[in-house]
Amino acid sequence: MPDIIRLLPDSIANQIAAGEVVQRPASAVKELLENAIDAGSDHIMLLVKDSGKTLIQVIDQGSGMSDADARMSFERHATSKIRHTDDLFAIQTKGFRGEALASIAAIAQVELKTRKSGQELGTCILIEGSEVKSQETCACAEGTSIAVKNLFFNVPARRNFLKSDAVEFRHIMDEFERVAIAHPEITFVFHHNNTEVFNLPKSNLRQRLVGLFGNPYNARLVPLEEHTQILGMTGFIGKPEFAKRTRGEQFFFVNRRFIRNAYLHHAVQSAYSELLPKDAFPSYFIFLEVDPKTIDVNIHPTKTEIKFEDERSIYALLRSSVKKSLGQYNIAPSLDFNQEMSIELPLNPENRSVKAPEIKVDKNFNPFNNERKEKDAPQPDYFKTISWDKQYSNHSYNQSDLLKKQEEGTVEQNPQDSQHTLHGEWTEETEAHTEHKNFQLHNRYILAHIKSGFLLIDQQGAHERILYERFLEAMKEQKAFSQKNLFPESIQFSAGDMICIKALLPDLNAMGYEINEFGTNSVVINGVPAALTETDPAQILEGLIDEYKHHQSEFRHNQKEYIARMMAKKAAIPSGKKLSEEEMNHIVDELFACTMPYSTPDGKPAVLTYSLEELDRRFKK
Ligand code: ADP
Ligand code: MG
């Protein structure tokens, strides 16, 4: 029997290789744009017809090629970008595999015109299905122009599988965006069917993003910056309120190369988890700079996947930097504690006589008597662990201050003159407590003044946020307030549940529980966090086990957050509970001492801000 194995001719080998590199017009766009960048061009033009099916042309003002290089560039594995194996680990260019032009030329009709700087004439090559049709000297602009016509003209199966023009165009836009974002220092002009789609002058990243996505983006971006020994991180992340229901603009670049990475995406998404509902996606444009030695770009022909040496550290850094940026952006508006007292006074409805303020002294007041006013039902002591001496609770002023101000004439004596009206319920009680700072609406919301208007705080959501941050802090610092159980309670679990409990125990104990393993598959609870004395530990543990089983992957990354969130929900003041003035003050103080006061741990709003301007507008003033 004769031997049957043959080496494939180059044209077929190239065509097969092309299947990997060029899946659709957008892939050719990407490769050509990247070559133009590698050639050092600071002005790149992309001309596309019929979503790339008829023409893709990239014109650059880069280095250009000599006659011989121009011919070589279409050979497979022909590249000027690496020479030795070592170079693979120090890659600074977009390309290095030397297969793009060979692949493209295998499945299209290509016209290359190129001229090096200092040369009078350039060279023009026509190549079709890997076959060089002509090469001749020609007059052309400095730099390189490559026109790719009739993509897949010789691979009908491929051509027929291309999607509609709209879909293919969207893919081209995606590739264009990625390259344009990665290189704001380069001018990009993009025409489709002779119409200008983008004309993006050289600029900085923020301007580039605005150029691509529109003016409103300017106000939506929060800068991100972090430099450590393993990596540098810069870019922008989107403010949570502009998150989208569909995956929108999410970009990672590693050493200026766009990459996809579900793991790192998870890091960013989870940094937002407290600020966004589950089905919303934040925008981000994040640039990581790492030592090329620590990554492997060569694991996928299109190079959009990268292997990191130390992915876990990058995950942690990314997550904490995004959180930090979000926290900085979320700076609470300063509650205006120094504003004129007149604004603080609930206003007298007309025809009510104005009483001189009087100091009300409760002769029976005993600071050591913790008895609550609402005696009928036992109330959980939500405020037990809130410390009074926090520096930020200095806003509550006392009545002697108020009197002093009045003597100085800084307090409006006749509130009727004031323009501020607050339609709280006017009861004898409010009248007597003119020092009231905050109002409770329908036992659910707290209304607090700020200089520019007022805040409406959801009491339950706000308290969840406060407790959440406090629990997290306690877990990190390992200094929780714990209350010992007089009668330790033991709970029996199934063997499976016990595995979950064991995984949760260190964090639970760090936040103030004192839970110890006791025999096989049971635990004994010797103490609970001070803020959770009213809750049933058995019920909480069961709830946690349930969550743990259903969300193992989230738990793996964010166990502390998960536990803190759940506990905060269990222990927070419910909506519908009447709050004392003190309690309201506490909530406001503690909330604005939080790192992210504006949202609940679930990402719902905790505070709404109403500006006077908005009110004036609504009242048509
Ligand atoms: P790679 O980019 O991986 O090196 P390509 O097939 O994309 O492989 O390109 C082959 C070579 O052709 C490049 O290494 C480069 O030297 C040259 N080349 C391609 N496009 C350009 C261009 N626009 N300007 C200058 N040289 C280019
Ligand atoms: Mg290339």
Side-chain angles (χ1 to χ4, degrees), residues 175-184 186 188 200 208 212:
E175 295 295 351
F176 177 80
E177 280 172 2
R178 290 164 189 172
V179 173
I181 296 171
H183 293 277
I186 298 175
F188 285 94
L200 306 167
R208 178 54 51 93
L212 279 167

Side-chain angles (χ1 to χ4, degrees), residues 115-249:
R115 176 160 74 92
K116 278 176 92 76
S117 82
Q119 305 271 309
E120 262 183 35
L121 287 172
T123 189
C124 173
I125 294 181
L126 290 180
I127 181 165
E128 207 176 292
S130 299
E131 199 181 316
V132 180
K133 296 281 175 190
S134 69
Q135 173 163 19
E136 51 201 34
T137 318
C138 70
C140 62
E142 204 176 295
T144 303
S145 155
I146 301 190
V148 176
K149 295 175 194 163
N150 304 320
L151 200 70
F152 300 123
F153 80 103
N154 53 352
V155 200
R158 273 285 168 128
R159 198 168 169 89
N160 294 339
F161 271 101
L162 289 179
K163 297 268 168 27
S164 69
D165 276 9
V167 172
E168 294 301 339
F169 185 67
R170 183 62 245 172
H171 283 290
I172 291 177
M173 285 278 279
D174 285 346
E175 295 295 351
F176 177 80
E177 280 172 2
R178 290 164 189 172
V179 173
I181 296 171
H183 293 277
E185 77 286 359
I186 298 175
T187 299
F188 285 94
V189 181
F190 174 11
H191 288 201
H192 184 229
N193 293 340
N194 299 324
T195 318
E196 184 175 279
V197 186
F198 285 114
N199 188 338
L200 306 167
K202 291 178 197 183
S203 59
N204 59 28
L205 177 59
R206 185 186 273 273
Q207 287 163 334
R208 178 54 51 93
L209 294 174
V210 169
L212 279 167
F213 302 113
N215 273 333
Y217 261 74
N218 200 17
R220 298 182 185 178
L221 302 171
V222 187
L224 177 81
E225 180 138 20
E226 191 74 59
H227 297 278
T228 72
Q229 288 202 317
I230 9 178
L231 86 172
M233 195 185 298
T234 52
F236 290 98
I237 53 175
K239 292 181 184 171
E241 61 263 41
F242 298 108
K244 300 190 170 173
R245 298 275 152 198
T246 51
R247 270 166 198 265
E249 288 78 36

Side-chain angles (χ1 to χ4, degrees), residues 274 464-472 561 564-565 568 601:
E274 301 161 26
E464 281 176 17
R465 159 60 59 186
I466 295 165
L467 291 176
Y468 171 74
E469 291 202 5
R470 199 178 318 142
F471 290 153
L472 262 189
E561 279 87 347
R565 187 156 47 226

Side-chain angles (χ1 to χ4, degrees), residues 31-32 34-35 38 81 94-96 98-101 303:
E31 295 296 336
L32 298 183
E34 290 190 347
N35 278 349
D38 286 345
K81 300 170 192 173
K94 305 278 175 200
F96 58 86
E99 18 175 53
L101 290 189
K303 295 166 283 193

Side-chain angles (χ1 to χ4, degrees), residues 35 39 60 63 65 73 78-81 95-101 144:
N35 278 349
D60 68 48
S63 62
M65 285 179 264
S73 70
T79 179
S80 56
K81 300 170 192 173
F96 58 86
R97 295 167 61 112
E99 18 175 53
L101 290 189
T144 303

